[in-house]
Amino acid sequence: MKTRLRLLFIFLCSTTLITAQQPKKPTSSEIYESIKKLNFLGSVLYVAAHPDDENTRLISYMSNEVKARTAYLSLTRGDGGQNLVGPEIRELLGVIRTQELLAARRTDGGEQLFTRANDFGYSKHPDETLAIWNKEQVLSDVVLAIRKFKPDVIINRFNHRTPGTTHGHHTSSAMLSLEAFDIVGDKTAYPDQLSMVDTWQPQRLFFNTSWWFYGSQENFDKADKTNLLAIDTGVFFPSDGLSNPEIAALSRSQHKSQGFGSTGSRGSQIEYIELIKGELPSDKTNIFEGIDTSWNRIEGGKAIGDILYAVEKYYDFKNPSASLTELMRAYKAIQNLKNEHWKAVKTKEIKDIIAACAGLYLEATSNTNQTTAGSRVDLNIEVINRSDANITLSSFVNPNGIKIDKNIPLDNNTRFDFKETLKINSNQEVSTPYWLTKKGTLGMYTVTDKSLIGKPETPRNLNVTFHLAIENVSIPFTKPIVYKTNDPVKGEVYKPFEIIPEVSAKISEKVIILDTDKQRDIEVIVTAGRDNVEGYVQLAYPNNWSVYPEKQKININHKGQEAHIIFTVIPPKEQSEGLLTPMVHIGDNIYTKELIEIDYDHIPFQTVLLPSESKIVRLDIQKRGENIGYIEGAGDVVPESLRQIGYNVAILKPEDISAENLSRFDAVVIGIRAYNTVETLNFKQQILFDYVAQGGNMIVQYNTNRRIKVDQIAPYDLKLSRDRVTDETAEVKLLATDHEVLNFPNKISPNDFEGWTQERGLYFPDEWSEDFTPILSMNDDGETPKTGSLLVAKHGKGYYIYTGLSFFREFPAGVSGAYRLFANMLSLGKNDINSPNQIKN
């Protein structure tokens, strides 16, 4: 559900580089609040590690009450988290969470920045974090962000003095911010940046503390607060009927993939920030005390301030256009400023205010949301002035730099529409997140264009620039080309205008498991990005495999159509694995990427190009049983993965859980975080336990230890903890070596835990009934053994299994041992060779 709020902070609150949602149409009150923001020349940078780490109460307060330019620097894009809205993980989840952060900033009034750090998953200590990240590169990015944004004040979310007490990414963000504060003004620190930015020195660095960091409210009450500032962020904005905490809750609720929906609150709410660097303000409610935040802070600013303070004082809420003459005077003066930083910031702000006061609507829409380099698209250009101001459309310039003269007076409320045809340059780059265009490392994204570092998304360079004369002053307005259509249900719907390759290709299955040496047909899907595509397709494959035919022709007549090509793959007799990549030859070009579309209502439509690869595995695996019931949780690909190894998997809705329905399944699997997200399961647990008692297998995958929605996770006592093993290479010891789950139908050895990705597992139980048998032991370096990753209990005639092992990550990565172990879990109790459910291999 897209949130559309007409709040004072929406206008001018976003520096997002893509406007894929409906254009903002600010109210008179919003315009007034933006004028007040125009007259405040101070900046705050909030620093943390991930999407959802930020304190939206403080960001909203600084932006909307103080009127400071406020940004959140998230060191990562949250790629290592879980996804509650769909199956995307890793890079694609990072794209989703980037857009959720931008949606949050559109709501709370902040701006959004990033570094190149890759969220590789949970880390227990900053030493590990900074060893996997390239510390120098991330520190360089933090320094660059500060030099670009030029904050007067930096606020860290986390404490740099307590390594090992929280996520290593968290502590690292504070440590890097602290180090950057000390060197950002030094020309010898990262001197290569000085061709793009100047040095800068923030005045103060704070730590956003709370009672939580002290262990309890009682400890916090007793603590020395000499260096703490107390800021009441519970202010109420009467013109919009919302308190600041309510705005902050709306912002936090944009993190939907993390399940962080938040209920707004009202009343006083104190935020504490501890001074770490700089001079302590005597007014402990004002972080800007002693910092000139007026127009007087910059050379030539006083004259501009004299104009704009008067505009603010005499603003006419009934007729905002009455301010245009003075706003244009100020705009001209801003163009003469020597301070390039504030010139750029305030030019953008005042131009938006001018457009709003004049009721300007400037838009360039295409007749398609996707096209290819070298193609032609039809544009519809709309221009309207909804004020009595003297405004002329002098010209507009298309993305190719071609100027179209108009010299049309824009009379009040008279719409002008223009039709244009745009020829896309043949060398126009495709649209995709810039940080995914090159292969990165476990800890870092590769960004070859240094000017892009820190930007939230790829800048849109297919724009139309409108040159207007307002009150006889020339002023340009640049708008990205967008696609607009009407949906019968949603009404007016916007999508970004994207450049896609002339073809893209994918193999229909991301992981292909072959449990015999028999040949297998593989489907390649080729999608045309333009009309009349002709060429041929090959497969790149591992050396010890065979594929035929060698190549196949394709001929696709229309854009958007697909060609489905079948190749036959012959695996080796022995266990083996590798990658399959489709290679589409069109003329002299070879295309090897897959076009992925991410389409959720709460974020703009996203187009992502990634290398088209499928992992293919010749797996030595045995299994028993046929029919699996799967109860979905927070979203994973486990059902598809189990189908890969020959199981019939039916998705079982909670309301359909009954003794009769369960009786047809050899095993029932509970999806990840189902007990955190599906309340109905609380009323179905006894039915599931009875199913186990009658001889079924029940496998419960990981849940967090908070917000459990069921009264009883297992038929016996079981308590979840925050125990996890983050090192995917950590040694795994087999405890119950004689247990059936390690021996039938596959003999499990430590080799089956090789090649795991991101982690071993998470949220292991740390207390359990004697009815459970712990199967495995593992631990991160320097920690005590964790034995709760896989617990098996006999219950009646069947088996209840709880596992925190990260199968949901290992299956998409094609990890052989994960499949073998899960097959054993599904096969428990089925070691009778005469069983009618036996699947022979």
Side-chain angles (χ1 to χ4, degrees):
M1 177 173 62
K2 290 185 177 179
T3 305
R4 297 283 181 261
L5 296 176
R6 303 177 68 83
L7 300 175
L8 61 92
F9 49 87
I10 281 189
F11 185 58
L12 293 184
C13 73
S14 174
T15 56
T16 313
L17 296 168
I18 171 176
T19 51
Q21 68 243 358
Q22 294 180 353
K24 298 179 178 66
K25 301 168 185 176
T27 66
S28 180
S29 294
E30 290 168 355
I31 297 170
Y32 176 67
E33 296 298 331
S34 67
I35 292 171
K36 290 165 67 176
K37 196 178 186 77
L38 181 66
N39 283 330
F40 191 95
L41 278 71
S43 303
V44 179
L45 181 65
Y46 199 90
V47 180
H50 309 107
D52 70 46
D53 283 345
E54 78 274 26
N55 185 336
T56 54
R57 293 183 300 274
L58 206 49
I59 290 174
S60 177
Y61 176 86
M62 290 299 164
S63 179
N64 301 309
E65 175 65 11
V66 178
K67 304 301 182 189
R69 185 174 179 235
T70 309
Y72 173 42
L73 174 60
S74 177
L75 268 58
T76 76
R77 297 177 184 268
D79 320 68
Q82 283 79 52
N83 184 1
L84 296 185
V85 299
E88 297 88 355
I89 58 174
R90 293 303 307 148
E91 293 91 347
L92 295 179
L93 177 58
V95 173
I96 291 172
R97 298 192 71 192
T98 293
Q99 291 300 321
E100 289 177 338
L101 268 178
L102 290 171
R105 299 295 79 77
R106 286 192 291 271
T107 303
D108 61 34
E111 302 177 23
Q112 187 60 52
L113 306 171
F114 291 97
T115 75
R116 288 170 288 173
N118 190 344
D119 177 5
F120 56 83
Y122 194 87
S123 173
K124 294 181 177 179
H125 198 280
D127 288 348
E128 178 196 33
T129 299
L130 296 174
I132 295 175
W133 288 350
N134 183 317
K135 181 196 171 184
E136 279 304 305
Q137 287 187 7
V138 182
L139 178 59
S140 168
D141 291 357
V142 175
V143 169
L144 180 62
I146 296 171
R147 287 173 171 173
K148 281 184 175 180
F149 191 74
K150 300 190 183 304
D152 300 298
V153 175
I154 297 175
I155 303 175
N156 291 343
R157 165 77 279 190
F158 298 105
N159 192 347
H160 65 281
R161 298 161 295 197
T162 55
T165 61
T166 183
H167 197 322
H169 297 183
H170 292 169
T171 311
S172 294
S173 71
M175 293 168 63
L176 291 168
S177 175
L178 183 73
E179 189 171 348
F181 184 93
D182 289 336
I183 65 174
V184 69
D186 184 353
K187 289 186 176 182
T188 65
Y190 306 107
D192 57 305
Q193 297 179 0
L194 300 182
S195 62
M196 299 184 294
V197 292
D198 297 324
T199 57
W200 178 253
Q201 185 56 58
Q203 299 299 302
R204 297 181 179 118
L205 174 68
F206 293 96
F207 158 46
N208 183 194
T209 190
S210 70
W211 68 264
W212 188 87
F213 290 96
Y214 289 76
S216 68
Q217 184 67 50
E218 181 181 3
N219 291 342
F220 182 65
D221 292 340
K222 296 176 181 178
D224 179 8
K225 298 183 177 61
T226 302
N227 288 333
L228 267 60
L229 275 66
I231 301 171
D232 188 352
T233 62
V235 295
F236 175 62
F237 301 113
S239 61
D240 292 277
L242 286 170
S243 68
N244 187 69
E246 288 174 307
I247 295 171
L250 292 169
S251 174
R252 185 138 183 93
S253 296
Q254 301 306 312
H255 295 298
K256 299 183 188 303
S257 66
Q258 288 295 96
F260 282 152
S262 181
T263 300
S265 62
R266 289 143 295 279
S268 176
Q269 194 164 91
I270 305 299
E271 288 289 339
Y272 293 93
I273 56 176
E274 177 188 356
L275 182 73
I276 303 298
K277 295 274 188 177
E279 184 178 345
L280 184 69
S282 57
D283 179 358
K284 292 192 175 182
T285 65
N286 180 11
I287 67 171
F288 285 102
E289 184 189 64
I291 301 172
D292 189 352
T293 58
S294 72
W295 278 100
N296 293 332
R297 80 178 290 173
I298 56 176
E299 182 182 348
K302 183 181 183 306
I304 298 170
D306 289 344
I307 298 170
L308 291 176
Y309 295 134
V311 169
E312 180 181 335
K313 182 177 181 180
Y314 297 110
Y315 177 74
D316 186 344
F317 284 84
K318 293 184 178 180
N319 182 23
S321 64
S323 300
L324 277 172
T325 299
E326 293 302 289
L327 285 168
M328 293 308 299
R329 282 184 61 208
Y331 168 77
K332 284 182 64 177
I334 289 171
Q335 304 319 296
N336 295 323
L337 287 174
K338 294 179 180 179
N339 186 308
E340 293 296 330
H341 171 72
W342 284 114
K343 176 182 175 180
V345 170
K346 294 304 176 182
T347 292
K348 181 185 184 305
E349 290 183 8
I350 198 169
K351 284 173 66 175
D352 287 343
I353 293 169
I354 289 167
C357 286
L360 283 176
Y361 191 89
L362 308 170
E363 186 173 73
T365 59
S366 68
N367 63 339
T368 179
N369 73 306
Q370 294 177 333
T371 193
T372 58
S375 65
R376 294 180 181 272
V377 294
D378 293 329
L379 300 181
N380 182 69
I381 296 172
E382 179 182 342
V383 180
I384 189 169
N385 162 32
R386 290 170 289 185
S387 74
D388 290 324
N390 176 21
I391 303 178
T392 298
L393 172 63
S394 303
S395 63
F396 53 82
V397 179
N398 74 13
N400 296 328
I402 298 173
K403 180 181 178 183
I404 298 99
D405 290 322
K406 291 299 179 182
N407 296 315
I408 299 173
L410 301 179
D411 297 331
N412 186 359
N413 214 30
T414 301
R415 191 177 81 177
F416 293 88
D417 290 312
F418 308 97
K419 303 292 185 181
E420 297 289 337
T421 298
L422 173 66
K423 174 70 162 58
I424 306 296
N425 288 333
S426 59
N427 60 353
Q428 179 66 46
E429 292 186 354
V430 295
S431 305
T432 195
Y434 70 85
W435 62 95
L436 297 178
T437 58
K438 301 289 184 182
K439 186 174 180 61
T441 65
L442 175 63
M444 298 295 296
Y445 282 117
T446 298
V447 180
T448 53
D449 184 348
K450 303 305 181 186
S451 69
L452 295 175
I453 294 174
K455 294 184 183 297
E457 52 191 344
T458 306
R460 298 281 155 173
N461 55 15
L462 292 172
N463 305 308
V464 172
T465 298
F466 299 85
H467 289 275
L468 305 181
I470 302 178
E471 301 296 331
N472 298 314
V473 177
S474 179
I475 182 170
F477 293 91
T478 298
K479 301 291 182 179
I481 296 173
V482 294
Y483 173 69
K484 181 170 67 174
T485 188
N486 183 73
D487 182 274
V489 176
K490 300 175 182 178
E492 189 176 61
V493 174
Y494 281 79
K495 286 185 178 181
F497 177 58
E498 308 272 25
I499 303 300
I500 61 175
E502 56 183 341
V503 290
S504 58
K506 65 178 181 180
I507 296 173
S508 57
E509 299 166 294
K510 283 299 176 189
V511 177
I512 302 166
I513 306 294
L514 289 81
D515 53 7
T516 72
D517 60 358
K518 294 180 180 178
Q519 66 185 37
R520 167 88 172 267
D521 287 344
I522 303 297
E523 182 183 52
V524 175
I525 303 171
V526 180
T527 305
R530 61 168 174 83
D531 293 342
N532 302 317
V533 171
E534 186 174 353
Y536 65 92
V537 185
Q538 289 181 300
L539 273 183
Y541 53 91
N543 288 333
N544 54 340
W545 295 61
S546 298
V547 170
Y548 70 89
E550 180 184 348
K551 59 184 179 181
Q552 299 194 57
K553 290 184 177 180
I554 56 166
N555 195 328
I556 307 176
N557 294 326
H558 299 292
K559 171 186 173 182
Q561 285 187 334
E562 295 177 345
H564 293 248
I565 311 298
I566 303 298
F567 287 90
T568 299
V569 175
I570 305 173
K573 294 187 178 297
E574 67 280 1
Q575 184 162 309
S576 175
E577 61 184 54
L579 295 176
L580 293 178
T581 297
M583 304 168 64
V584 185
H585 297 253
I586 307 295
D588 294 330
N589 297 318
I590 302 175
Y591 296 91
T592 60
K593 290 192 174 182
E594 174 184 359
L595 184 71
I596 301 165
E597 296 177 345
I598 299 176
D599 192 6
Y600 292 103
D601 284 347
H602 70 292
I603 60 173
F605 182 90
Q606 298 293 297
T607 297
V608 184
L609 271 175
L610 290 178
S612 183
E613 296 176 340
S614 290
K615 188 167 185 180
I616 190 162
V617 180
R618 163 66 173 99
L619 179 60
D620 179 13
I621 188 171
Q622 304 289 319
K623 49 198 177 293
R624 300 294 184 270
E626 291 182 342
N627 300 313
I628 308 299
Y630 198 90
I631 300 170
E632 293 181 306
D636 57 63
V637 295
V638 172
E640 295 91 329
S641 301
L642 297 180
R643 293 185 185 112
Q644 282 277 354
I645 56 174
Y647 285 105
N648 302 318
V649 182
I651 301 301
L652 187 60
K653 295 181 179 179
E655 58 269 25
D656 294 331
I657 297 174
S658 66
E660 181 180 358
N661 286 339
L662 293 178
S663 64
R664 60 192 178 96
F665 296 119
D666 296 299
V668 172
V669 181
I670 311 297
I672 63 172
R673 295 181 70 174
Y675 291 156
N676 298 128
T677 57
V678 186
E679 293 190 23
T680 312
L681 288 178
N682 192 39
F683 310 107
K684 300 292 184 176
Q685 282 293 83
Q686 191 56 53
I687 299 174
L688 289 164
F689 296 158
D690 290 344
Y691 159 76
V692 177
Q694 294 301 315
N697 277 3
M698 179 178 177
I699 299 173
V700 179
Q701 298 177 87
Y702 101 94
N703 292 268
T704 66
N705 63 345
R706 297 177 58 209
R707 300 180 182 177
I708 297 290
K709 297 184 181 297
V710 297
D711 297 329
Q712 192 176 1
I713 292 177
Y716 308 113
D717 289 340
L718 182 71
K719 182 180 178 182
L720 302 184
S721 73
R722 295 182 64 86
D723 287 350
R724 61 202 302 162
V725 176
T726 62
D727 182 357
E728 63 270 32
T729 66
E731 181 185 3
V732 177
K733 295 179 180 179
L734 310 182
L735 297 179
T737 54
D738 295 330
H739 197 284
E740 184 178 333
V741 78
L742 292 180
N743 292 278
F744 181 85
N746 303 288
K747 181 70 173 179
I748 302 300
S749 74
N751 292 337
D752 287 295
F753 294 92
E754 294 179 359
W756 284 51
T757 182
Q758 186 161 324
E759 62 200 352
R760 289 297 190 196
L762 61 171
Y763 290 97
F764 298 160
D766 62 350
E767 296 180 23
W768 51 83
S769 160
E770 292 181 355
D771 300 277
F772 284 101
T773 300
I775 305 299
L776 306 171
S777 174
M778 60 191 71
N779 58 272
D780 283 321
D781 188 39
E783 295 192 353
T784 58
K786 306 295 185 288
T787 58
S789 63
L790 180 58
L791 301 173
V792 181
K794 193 81 166 65
H795 181 58
K797 299 178 182 179
Y799 290 90
Y800 174 95
I801 304 168
Y802 189 93
T803 179
L805 294 171
S806 57
F807 289 103
F808 71 101
R809 295 198 189 281
E810 311 317 317
F811 286 167
V815 177
S816 301
Y819 281 93
R820 286 163 45 83
L821 178 56
F822 210 93
N824 281 15
M825 292 156 57
L826 294 169
S827 301
L828 269 178
K830 299 177 176 62
N831 56 359
D832 180 359
I833 61 173
N834 297 314
S835 169
N837 289 330
Q838 179 179 348
I839 298 178
K840 296 182 179 180
N841 293 281

